[in-house]
Amino acid sequence: MTAQASRGPALLLAAAMITAGLGMAVQGTTNAHLTGVISHGMYAALVSFSGGLLLLCLILPFAPGARRGIGRAVRAVADRDVSWWMLTGGIPGAGVVIAQVLTVPLFGVATFIMSFVCGQLVGALIVDNTSLSPGGRMAITLPRILGVIIVIAGVAVSSAGALSYGVALWAPLVPLTSGVLTAFQQAFNGHVKNAACSAYAATFTNFVGGVLFLLVIAVIVRLTGVPISGFPQLPGQWWMLIGGMLGVMFIGFSALAVGRLGVLLLSLLVLFGNLLGSLIIDIVLPVGAAPIGLQTYIGIGLVLIGVIVTSIRRPQRWAGSHD
C-alpha cells in the first residue's frame, strides 16, 4: 500500500474521531440534564449507559458478523490470547459518565472537556509508551511532553475561571482522573477489537462491563436510602436518553481507530471535536453555574497550541509505506 493510499483511511478515521468528540460534548449536556430529572447522578449514569447497551442488543439479531465477532472475543479470552482484564474497559467508560453527571452541572461542558482531555493526554503518553498500545509502542518525545504540559496549563487557566464561581477544588480532578483511565480503556478496547476482528465486539463487551459496574453502584446508592424518581418525565424528554447512543459511537469509533492512530493522536482529534461542541453548547444551551469567560478562551487557545506542538513529530510508522 502506498503512503498516499494509506492516508485515505487515516483521514476518514480522523474525521470519525472528531465527530465522536463532538458527540461526547453533546453527551455531557444530555447526561447533565438527565441528572436534573432523576434524583441521583448514579441513576442517571446507569440509565445513560444502559441506553447504549440496549441499542447494541437491538442491532445484534440483524448483524451476524457482530455475533461472530463476540464469539471470537470470547474464544480469545478463553485461549488467553487476550487477558481477561482487557474486558474491563467498560469501567473507565462508566467513569466518564459518572464524571459528567457529577461535574457538568457544576461548571459546564467546556471546563469538563478541558479537564477530561488533560487527563486523557497524560494517560495516552503513558499507554503509547507501553505494550498496551494496540498499534505498537510509541516513544515519549520532547514535543509530546511539551505539548501535554501546555495542555495542562490551558486546563489550569480554564479551571481557574470555573473555580472563581465557587466550584469546589476537587471538581476538576474528577474528569481529569476519568480522562487518564479512558486512555487505558481505548487501549483495552483496541486489543479486544484486534482479537475479535470486530469493533462491535469491543464496544459490546465495553457496555456490558460498564452497565454491570454502574448497576452495582446504583444498588449501593439505593440501599443508602436515595429514592429513584423522574422516570415518568422521560418519555417527554426523549433527547435526554441519547447519551448512551452517543457513547456507542464514541467507543466504537475509538476501538476502530486506536490501532491506526495511536492513543495520543486519537485523543487530540477527539479534543478538537470536544472543544468545538462544548463551546457551541455552553453558548447556546449553558448548563453549569460558571459562564464562559476570558479564562475559557485563553485555556482553549493554550490547549490548541499544545495539540500542535504534540503533533510536530509523528512516529516513523506513520511515514512508512504500510500499516
Side-chain angles (χ1 to χ4, degrees):
M1 183 183 293
T2 66
Q4 184 174 3
S6 178
R7 281 196 293 270
L11 290 175
L12 289 176
L13 290 175
M17 292 318 306
I18 292 173
T19 303
L22 236 168
M24 185 180 175
V26 177
Q27 182 192 47
T29 301
T30 60
N31 286 343
H33 282 282
L34 183 61
T35 302
V37 172
I38 299 179
S39 54
H40 196 280
M42 292 303 105
Y43 299 150
L46 177 60
V47 170
S48 176
F49 226 76
S50 297
L53 180 59
L54 176 61
L55 174 63
L56 291 169
C57 289
L58 291 176
I59 294 173
L60 194 58
F62 307 99
R67 295 195 298 271
R68 289 193 294 269
I70 292 175
R72 286 192 293 268
V74 172
R75 287 193 296 273
V77 173
D79 295 339
R80 297 185 179 180
D81 294 330
V82 173
S83 301
W84 64 268
W85 44 267
M86 290 284 183
L87 300 180
T88 62
I91 295 178
V96 174
V97 180
I98 292 173
Q100 287 174 339
V101 300
L102 289 179
T103 62
V104 170
L106 296 178
F107 46 55
V109 179
T111 302
F112 170 87
I113 291 299
M114 300 284 278
S115 298
F116 174 81
V117 171
C118 174
Q120 193 175 35
L121 294 182
V122 172
L125 273 178
I126 297 171
V127 171
D128 273 350
N129 196 44
T130 68
S131 59
L132 287 175
S133 178
R137 185 170 181 171
M138 298 180 180
I140 295 179
T141 62
L142 180 60
R144 286 185 158 212
I145 296 175
L146 182 59
V148 170
I149 290 174
I150 295 173
V151 168
I152 292 174
V155 172
V157 171
S158 179
S159 298
L163 294 175
S164 67
Y165 285 88
V167 175
L169 291 173
W170 59 264
L173 297 178
V174 176
L176 187 145
T177 302
S178 71
V180 173
L181 295 177
T182 299
F184 289 86
Q185 175 200 25
Q186 291 166 347
F188 293 173
N189 289 345
H191 281 286
V192 175
K193 179 261 177 185
N194 289 343
C197 300
S198 169
Y200 181 98
T203 306
F204 185 82
T205 57
N206 187 98
F207 270 85
V208 170
V211 167
L212 292 176
F213 175 72
L214 287 170
L215 182 61
V216 171
I217 295 180
V219 169
I220 294 173
V221 171
R222 183 67 186 89
L223 292 176
T224 63
V226 179
I228 302 175
S229 62
F231 283 100
Q233 302 177 40
L234 292 182
Q237 304 287 339
W238 59 267
W239 57 272
M240 295 184 186
L241 302 176
I242 67 172
M245 291 181 282
L246 294 171
V248 168
M249 178 180 69
F250 177 77
I251 295 172
F253 284 178
S254 297
L256 189 64
V258 66
R260 179 64 180 274
L261 302 179
V263 178
L264 182 60
L265 183 55
L266 184 148
S267 300
L268 296 176
L269 293 168
V270 170
L271 168 61
F272 182 81
N274 286 162
L275 292 178
L276 179 62
S278 62
L279 266 181
I280 294 172
I281 290 169
D282 274 353
I283 291 173
V284 177
L285 188 65
V287 177
I292 291 180
L294 180 61
Q295 298 96 329
T296 302
Y297 290 106
I298 293 175
I300 289 175
L302 287 173
V303 168
L304 292 178
I305 291 172
V307 169
I308 295 171
V309 172
T310 307
S311 304
I312 287 176
R313 295 179 182 176
R314 294 177 177 176
Q316 288 299 315
R317 65 187 184 87
W318 270 83
S321 60
H322 58 276
D323 293 344

mmCIF file of all heavy atoms in Angstrom, residues 145-171:
data_model
loop_
_atom_site.group_PDB
_atom_site.id
_atom_site.type_symbol
_atom_site.label_atom_id
_atom_site.label_comp_id
_atom_site.label_asym_id
_atom_site.label_seq_id
_atom_site.Cartn_x
_atom_site.Cartn_y
_atom_site.Cartn_z
ATOM 1 N N ILE A 145 5.855 15.612 25.238
ATOM 2 C CA ILE A 145 5.858 16.039 26.636
ATOM 3 C C ILE A 145 5.547 17.531 26.733
ATOM 4 O O ILE A 145 4.718 17.959 27.553
ATOM 5 C CB ILE A 145 7.215 15.733 27.290
ATOM 6 C CG1 ILE A 145 7.455 14.221 27.331
ATOM 7 C CG2 ILE A 145 7.276 16.322 28.692
ATOM 8 C CD1 ILE A 145 8.822 13.835 27.848
ATOM 9 N N LEU A 146 6.193 18.339 25.890
ATOM 10 C CA LEU A 146 5.979 19.777 25.916
ATOM 11 C C LEU A 146 4.526 20.120 25.581
ATOM 12 O O LEU A 146 3.911 20.985 26.222
ATOM 13 C CB LEU A 146 6.928 20.466 24.919
ATOM 14 C CG LEU A 146 6.849 21.995 24.857
ATOM 15 C CD1 LEU A 146 7.155 22.597 26.220
ATOM 16 C CD2 LEU A 146 7.808 22.528 23.791
ATOM 17 N N GLY A 147 3.981 19.423 24.585
ATOM 18 C CA GLY A 147 2.596 19.672 24.201
ATOM 19 C C GLY A 147 1.631 19.374 25.325
ATOM 20 O O GLY A 147 0.684 20.139 25.583
ATOM 21 N N VAL A 148 1.849 18.275 26.030
ATOM 22 C CA VAL A 148 0.967 17.918 27.139
ATOM 23 C C VAL A 148 1.092 18.936 28.273
ATOM 24 O O VAL A 148 0.098 19.298 28.913
ATOM 25 C CB VAL A 148 1.283 16.491 27.642
ATOM 26 C CG1 VAL A 148 0.556 16.207 28.946
ATOM 27 C CG2 VAL A 148 0.881 15.468 26.586
ATOM 28 N N ILE A 149 2.311 19.425 28.526
ATOM 29 C CA ILE A 149 2.496 20.440 29.567
ATOM 30 C C ILE A 149 1.709 21.708 29.217
ATOM 31 O O ILE A 149 1.056 22.317 30.079
ATOM 32 C CB ILE A 149 3.992 20.768 29.736
ATOM 33 C CG1 ILE A 149 4.719 19.575 30.365
ATOM 34 C CG2 ILE A 149 4.183 22.013 30.611
ATOM 35 C CD1 ILE A 149 6.222 19.740 30.441
ATOM 36 N N ILE A 150 1.743 22.100 27.942
ATOM 37 C CA ILE A 150 0.985 23.277 27.511
ATOM 38 C C ILE A 150 -0.512 23.031 27.682
ATOM 39 O O ILE A 150 -1.267 23.919 28.116
ATOM 40 C CB ILE A 150 1.314 23.625 26.048
ATOM 41 C CG1 ILE A 150 2.784 24.049 25.932
ATOM 42 C CG2 ILE A 150 0.416 24.748 25.536
ATOM 43 C CD1 ILE A 150 3.250 24.255 24.504
ATOM 44 N N VAL A 151 -0.968 21.819 27.334
ATOM 45 C CA VAL A 151 -2.386 21.482 27.507
ATOM 46 C C VAL A 151 -2.785 21.565 28.975
ATOM 47 O O VAL A 151 -3.839 22.101 29.323
ATOM 48 C CB VAL A 151 -2.676 20.071 26.946
ATOM 49 C CG1 VAL A 151 -4.049 19.604 27.372
ATOM 50 C CG2 VAL A 151 -2.580 20.082 25.425
ATOM 51 N N ILE A 152 -1.938 21.049 29.862
ATOM 52 C CA ILE A 152 -2.226 21.109 31.290
ATOM 53 C C ILE A 152 -2.335 22.566 31.750
ATOM 54 O O ILE A 152 -3.216 22.918 32.549
ATOM 55 C CB ILE A 152 -1.142 20.364 32.092
ATOM 56 C CG1 ILE A 152 -1.218 18.867 31.807
ATOM 57 C CG2 ILE A 152 -1.293 20.628 33.594
ATOM 58 C CD1 ILE A 152 -0.097 18.071 32.434
ATOM 59 N N ALA A 153 -1.454 23.429 31.231
ATOM 60 C CA ALA A 153 -1.530 24.850 31.573
ATOM 61 C C ALA A 153 -2.849 25.449 31.112
ATOM 62 O O ALA A 153 -3.481 26.242 31.826
ATOM 63 C CB ALA A 153 -0.352 25.602 30.938
ATOM 64 N N GLY A 154 -3.280 25.054 29.919
ATOM 65 C CA GLY A 154 -4.567 25.539 29.423
ATOM 66 C C GLY A 154 -5.719 25.101 30.291
ATOM 67 O O GLY A 154 -6.651 25.868 30.571
ATOM 68 N N VAL A 155 -5.690 23.853 30.743
ATOM 69 C CA VAL A 155 -6.741 23.344 31.616
ATOM 70 C C VAL A 155 -6.744 24.095 32.943
ATOM 71 O O VAL A 155 -7.795 24.431 33.489
ATOM 72 C CB VAL A 155 -6.571 21.832 31.859
ATOM 73 C CG1 VAL A 155 -7.532 21.336 32.920
ATOM 74 C CG2 VAL A 155 -6.794 21.081 30.559
ATOM 75 N N ALA A 156 -5.539 24.385 33.471
ATOM 76 C CA ALA A 156 -5.436 25.111 34.739
ATOM 77 C C ALA A 156 -6.052 26.498 34.617
ATOM 78 O O ALA A 156 -6.793 26.948 35.508
ATOM 79 C CB ALA A 156 -3.978 25.211 35.168
ATOM 80 N N VAL A 157 -5.786 27.186 33.508
ATOM 81 C CA VAL A 157 -6.342 28.521 33.298
ATOM 82 C C VAL A 157 -7.864 28.452 33.188
ATOM 83 O O VAL A 157 -8.590 29.238 33.805
ATOM 84 C CB VAL A 157 -5.739 29.170 32.030
ATOM 85 C CG1 VAL A 157 -6.474 30.458 31.683
ATOM 86 C CG2 VAL A 157 -4.265 29.446 32.230
ATOM 87 N N SER A 158 -8.350 27.506 32.392
ATOM 88 C CA SER A 158 -9.794 27.365 32.218
ATOM 89 C C SER A 158 -10.484 26.992 33.520
ATOM 90 O O SER A 158 -11.535 27.534 33.860
ATOM 91 C CB SER A 158 -10.086 26.304 31.149
ATOM 92 O OG SER A 158 -11.468 26.133 30.977
ATOM 93 N N SER A 159 -9.899 26.064 34.265
ATOM 94 C CA SER A 159 -10.494 25.632 35.528
ATOM 95 C C SER A 159 -10.486 26.757 36.558
ATOM 96 O O SER A 159 -11.389 26.857 37.384
ATOM 97 C CB SER A 159 -9.742 24.425 36.082
ATOM 98 O OG SER A 159 -9.835 23.333 35.192
ATOM 99 N N ALA A 160 -9.471 27.621 36.504
ATOM 100 C CA ALA A 160 -9.421 28.739 37.441
ATOM 101 C C ALA A 160 -10.630 29.643 37.258
ATOM 102 O O ALA A 160 -11.173 30.189 38.229
ATOM 103 C CB ALA A 160 -8.126 29.533 37.237
ATOM 104 N N GLY A 161 -11.068 29.800 36.003
ATOM 105 C CA GLY A 161 -12.266 30.591 35.763
ATOM 106 C C GLY A 161 -13.483 29.971 36.413
ATOM 107 O O GLY A 161 -14.315 30.666 37.004
ATOM 108 N N ALA A 162 -13.597 28.653 36.341
ATOM 109 C CA ALA A 162 -14.738 27.978 36.965
ATOM 110 C C ALA A 162 -14.647 28.045 38.481
ATOM 111 O O ALA A 162 -15.648 28.261 39.168
ATOM 112 C CB ALA A 162 -14.794 26.521 36.496
ATOM 113 N N LEU A 163 -13.439 27.867 39.025
ATOM 114 C CA LEU A 163 -13.266 27.879 40.478
ATOM 115 C C LEU A 163 -13.601 29.238 41.065
ATOM 116 O O LEU A 163 -14.011 29.339 42.221
ATOM 117 C CB LEU A 163 -11.828 27.488 40.828
ATOM 118 C CG LEU A 163 -11.421 26.052 40.487
ATOM 119 C CD1 LEU A 163 -9.931 25.840 40.776
ATOM 120 C CD2 LEU A 163 -12.260 25.049 41.258
ATOM 121 N N SER A 164 -13.444 30.312 40.275
ATOM 122 C CA SER A 164 -13.760 31.645 40.773
ATOM 123 C C SER A 164 -15.251 31.824 41.005
ATOM 124 O O SER A 164 -15.663 32.779 41.658
ATOM 125 C CB SER A 164 -13.248 32.709 39.787
ATOM 126 O OG SER A 164 -13.963 32.649 38.564
ATOM 127 N N TYR A 165 -16.069 30.911 40.470
ATOM 128 C CA TYR A 165 -17.506 30.974 40.679
ATOM 129 C C TYR A 165 -17.957 30.030 41.794
ATOM 130 O O TYR A 165 -19.129 29.667 41.894
ATOM 131 C CB TYR A 165 -18.258 30.641 39.381
ATOM 132 C CG TYR A 165 -18.217 31.780 38.396
ATOM 133 C CD1 TYR A 165 -17.163 31.892 37.494
ATOM 134 C CD2 TYR A 165 -19.202 32.757 38.380
ATOM 135 C CE1 TYR A 165 -17.103 32.936 36.593
ATOM 136 C CE2 TYR A 165 -19.158 33.808 37.484
ATOM 137 C CZ TYR A 165 -18.110 33.898 36.588
ATOM 138 O OH TYR A 165 -18.048 34.944 35.693
ATOM 139 N N GLY A 166 -17.023 29.617 42.622
ATOM 140 C CA GLY A 166 -17.379 28.827 43.791
ATOM 141 C C GLY A 166 -17.391 27.334 43.571
ATOM 142 O O GLY A 166 -17.858 26.589 44.435
ATOM 143 N N VAL A 167 -16.894 26.859 42.436
ATOM 144 C CA VAL A 167 -16.832 25.423 42.185
ATOM 145 C C VAL A 167 -15.774 24.807 43.099
ATOM 146 O O VAL A 167 -14.694 25.362 43.280
ATOM 147 C CB VAL A 167 -16.492 25.139 40.706
ATOM 148 C CG1 VAL A 167 -16.310 23.647 40.469
ATOM 149 C CG2 VAL A 167 -17.584 25.692 39.805
ATOM 150 N N ALA A 168 -16.078 23.664 43.675
ATOM 151 C CA ALA A 168 -15.173 23.021 44.630
ATOM 152 C C ALA A 168 -13.839 22.673 43.969
ATOM 153 O O ALA A 168 -13.772 22.367 42.768
ATOM 154 C CB ALA A 168 -15.819 21.766 45.197
ATOM 155 N N LEU A 169 -12.778 22.709 44.776
ATOM 156 C CA LEU A 169 -11.439 22.429 44.259
ATOM 157 C C LEU A 169 -11.313 21.018 43.703
ATOM 158 O O LEU A 169 -10.529 20.765 42.789
ATOM 159 C CB LEU A 169 -10.408 22.645 45.374
ATOM 160 C CG LEU A 169 -10.180 24.093 45.832
ATOM 161 C CD1 LEU A 169 -9.262 24.112 47.048
ATOM 162 C CD2 LEU A 169 -9.573 24.921 44.707
ATOM 163 N N TRP A 170 -12.081 20.069 44.256
ATOM 164 C CA TRP A 170 -11.957 18.678 43.829
ATOM 165 C C TRP A 170 -12.610 18.432 42.477
ATOM 166 O O TRP A 170 -12.295 17.460 41.791
ATOM 167 C CB TRP A 170 -12.597 17.740 44.859
ATOM 168 C CG TRP A 170 -14.053 18.013 45.104
ATOM 169 C CD1 TRP A 170 -14.587 18.766 46.104
ATOM 170 C CD2 TRP A 170 -15.171 17.565 44.320
ATOM 171 N NE1 TRP A 170 -15.964 18.820 46.013
ATOM 172 C CE2 TRP A 170 -16.337 18.081 44.915
ATOM 173 C CE3 TRP A 170 -15.300 16.776 43.178
ATOM 174 C CZ2 TRP A 170 -17.619 17.846 44.418
ATOM 175 C CZ3 TRP A 170 -16.570 16.527 42.673
ATOM 176 C CH2 TRP A 170 -17.704 17.062 43.296
ATOM 177 N N ALA A 171 -13.553 19.309 42.082
ATOM 178 C CA ALA A 171 -14.394 19.024 40.916
ATOM 179 C C ALA A 171 -13.595 18.796 39.632
ATOM 180 O O ALA A 171 -13.836 17.806 38.922
ATOM 181 C CB ALA A 171 -15.421 20.138 40.732
#
